[in-house]
Amino acid sequence: MSKVWMAIYLPLIGCPLRVKGAEYFEKGKSCIVVCNHRSFMDVPVSTPFMPRANKTIAKKGFAAVPVFGWIYSLGAVLIDRKNEQSRKQGYVKMKEVLQIGLDMVIYPEGTRNRTNLPLQPFHDGAFRLAVETGTPIVPALIFNTRKIMPPNKPFFLLPHIIEMHFLSPQSPDGLPVQALKEKVFERMKKYYMANNVW
């Protein structure tokens, strides 16, 4: 439903989406997609246009939003970040998502990047999940959403092309969590800076 809606909505607001690297998703093999996060536009753009069915992480409070919250609840693992029990349950649910053959989409920066740096430091969650389940990580970079909807300008929208680039999978085999996290961070940072759009 969200993919159909966004496929109509994005061209209407002058923000067509271009996807690159979808061939990196191996058929029949779940993965953990880690995305950068610079705007409110990232989530409604990323999850519907992943090459395969997936779930993402969302704040539990979103479920209370009429209509949108119900739809969002179907496609997300809802977590109350302030509640340790909720975080633990969310982690178990993420493992279940991978076990049933879906991809898990995670924003390792944890919140929107409001700085002028390409990326904020990553949290461990996505990488611990990869190490414990043996699931490969597919890095994803979303470009131009901050230009469209800057964090410091409410009720602002500037039409612009959106791009979402997937990089080749990163296997967790033999790597501790910290090393895996650092490796993926450096790959994403280098790619983002090379494209010179941040």
Side-chain angles (χ1 to χ4, degrees), residues 6 15 17 31-32 55 58 64 69-70 82 89 101 104 123-124 132 143-144 160 170-172 188 197:
M6 292 304 292
C15 299
L17 174 68
C31 68
I32 298 167
K55 286 200 173 193
W70 175 75
K82 297 179 181 179
Q89 291 174 349
M104 194 68 222
H123 294 285
D124 289 349
E132 291 184 2
F143 299 109
N144 300 325
H160 201 292
Q170 176 64 57
S171 171
M188 292 176 69
V197 293

Side-chain angles (χ1 to χ4, degrees), residues 6 36-37 39-49 56-58 62 68 72 107 142 145:
M6 292 304 292
N36 63 321
H37 191 13
S39 168
F40 277 134
M41 285 287 289
D42 295 331
V43 175
V45 165
S46 60
T47 52
F49 293 100
T56 188
I57 297 175
F62 284 161
F68 172 81
Y72 210 61
Y107 302 85
I142 304 171
T145 51

Side-chain angles (χ1 to χ4, degrees), residues 8 20 38 55 71 86-87 90 108 112 121 143 157 163 184:
I8 296 170
K20 179 181 179 182
R38 299 185 68 83
K55 286 200 173 193
I71 295 172
S86 177
R87 293 198 303 270
R112 284 177 297 159
F143 299 109
L157 191 144
E163 296 197 14
V184 173

